[in-house]
Amino acid sequence: MECVVWLPAKMLHACRKARTLPAAVLVILFPPLLIPTSKHFINNRLIIIQQWLIRLILKQTMATHNTKGQTWSLMLTSLIIFIASTNLLGLLPYSFTPTAQLSMNLAMAIPLWASTVAMGLRFKAKTTLTHLLPQGTPTPLIPMLIIIETISLFIQPLALAVRLTANITAGHLLMHLIGSSALAMLAINLPLTLITLAILTLLTILETAIALIQAYVFTLLVSLYLHDNS
Amino acid sequence: MTLGTRRSDISHFQCQMLQSIIKNIWIPMKPYYTQVYQEIWIGMGLMGFIVYKIRAADKRSKALKASAPAPGHH
């Protein structure tokens, strides 16, 4: 079943072809609305708390980078805030989580990983290529190890995407199954239902932590790849 | 006709939207889009190429299945 949103005819007067927009586009564009921007020096409490959080994230992620790496501050901060907010919103009942889709995570991981590799090859090609051979490798093992390191390099974007997808999808699936079983057992066995609901509560707390941790891990790994190549 | 429905009104709104986009997005982000994110554009091109290849292969396999349905399906 395709979920679409009908746009007002006036907005699409110039474009006569498509009159629908996938609802997923609106869901992906929704989290930035929760983070208001302000041109004032002194803001309201919500914006002050959010700006404090963003400054904390910025300091933690960008402290170890050189000047070239720090030009990516905007990208990495936006990345972690987007993934964290999307994951947390996905914990609400009946919501859609874009980061549970492999296509979405591959679309984030491949450009970021490829750009770090391209940056490394462009600005320090020799150092990037020497990363394919760990120091102190015995001579007979060199060809095999280069192949292994190349494979591990190409697996990085897949690992980034699949890690996030699997964690979020598995968590949601588990919550869905345990919630359904609790509902089914409500009329049959009340004590077991209460135990299941307690497990569900603990699982929800765990999923909240996983939502934040996975956002941090994704951004940290991209930051690590950037650090190796900048 | 009421205001906002004529062709000239709609193109006026589109111009205003374009001006707003240029002033609020393009001008502050220009150094990023033109210098800092050059490699990211390359990465996005690679991703677009992969998406194109996957969709083309999917279309080809669906066309193949539709043109030659396997006999004896239960």
Side-chain angles (χ1 to χ4, degrees):
Chain A
M1 186 179 80
E2 241 187 47
C3 214
V4 295
V5 171
W6 283 91
L7 296 171
K10 280 185 218 171
M11 285 175 69
L12 294 168
H13 184 85
C15 168
R16 290 172 198 283
K17 277 191 192 167
R19 286 178 180 265
T20 61
L21 194 70
V25 173
L26 293 177
V27 173
I28 291 168
L29 292 174
F30 175 67
L33 293 176
L34 302 172
I35 305 171
T37 52
S38 167
K39 292 189 177 96
H40 300 293
F41 185 62
I42 299 171
N43 297 300
N44 59 27
R45 286 189 187 91
L46 175 71
I47 294 178
I48 285 178
I49 290 171
Q50 287 175 347
Q51 284 178 349
W52 170 81
L53 208 62
I54 291 168
R55 255 182 234 123
L56 180 73
I57 292 166
L58 188 66
K59 271 192 236 170
Q60 288 289 317
T61 50
M62 306 313 296
T64 56
H65 284 94
N66 56 14
T67 314
K68 185 134 188 66
Q70 283 178 355
T71 55
W72 275 52
S73 308
L74 193 61
M75 174 61 75
L76 293 178
T77 317
S78 311
L79 186 70
I80 190 171
I81 288 167
F82 173 70
I83 299 176
S85 57
T86 312
N87 288 350
L88 287 171
L89 284 171
L91 291 173
L92 298 171
Y94 296 106
S95 61
F96 170 69
T97 322
T99 44
Q101 308 296 317
L102 186 63
S103 53
M104 170 87 175
N105 295 334
L106 277 171
M108 287 194 295
I110 289 176
L112 290 170
W113 166 82
S115 59
T116 56
V117 171
M119 194 187 275
L121 287 171
R122 183 182 173 189
F123 294 112
K124 14 190 244 185
K126 279 186 198 164
T127 316
T128 305
L129 289 170
T130 52
H131 281 149
L132 292 177
L133 187 67
Q135 221 170 9
T137 310
T139 314
L141 286 176
I142 288 174
M144 194 185 75
L145 214 58
I146 290 177
I147 294 169
I148 290 171
E149 288 288 327
T150 311
I151 293 170
S152 79
L153 179 72
F154 283 101
I155 276 181
Q156 282 172 355
L158 289 174
L160 269 178
V162 170
R163 184 185 301 111
L164 184 56
T165 310
N167 272 289
I168 301 301
T169 308
H172 289 179
L173 190 65
L174 214 52
M175 283 170 76
H176 178 79
L177 290 173
I178 291 178
S180 307
S181 71
L183 192 63
M185 280 192 298
L186 194 59
I188 302 165
N189 188 344
L190 190 59
L192 200 57
T193 306
L194 292 172
I195 294 169
T196 314
L197 282 175
I199 294 171
L200 187 62
T201 310
L202 293 171
L203 191 64
T204 309
I205 295 167
L206 178 69
E207 283 306 309
T208 311
I210 285 176
L212 295 168
I213 288 167
Q214 285 304 316
Y216 176 65
V217 163
F218 194 104
T219 312
L220 187 71
L221 284 169
V222 171
S223 162
L224 197 67
Y225 302 151
L226 178 69
H227 189 255
D228 287 341
N229 288 300
S230 68
Chain B
M1 288 175 79
T2 53
L3 188 66
T5 58
R6 294 172 293 185
R7 279 180 190 263
S8 56
D9 290 332
I10 288 155
S11 63
H12 168 74
F13 291 136
Q14 285 169 342
C15 278
Q16 276 194 324
M17 195 169 81
L18 191 63
Q19 281 174 2
S20 164
I21 285 171
I22 290 172
K23 183 184 159 218
N24 293 319
I25 299 174
W26 174 252
I27 287 174
M29 293 294 287
K30 192 175 163 198
Y32 287 95
Y33 292 155
T34 51
Q35 291 164 29
V36 179
Y37 295 162
Q38 284 171 355
E39 291 89 10
I40 293 183
W41 297 124
I42 296 170
M44 283 178 72
L46 173 67
M47 184 196 69
F49 176 70
I50 292 170
V51 166
Y52 163 74
K53 281 299 210 187
I54 291 173
R55 284 175 82 158
D58 187 42
K59 208 187 276 187
R60 204 171 35 240
S61 78
K62 279 188 181 151
L64 207 63
K65 276 187 192 159
S67 66
H73 261 278
H74 298 287

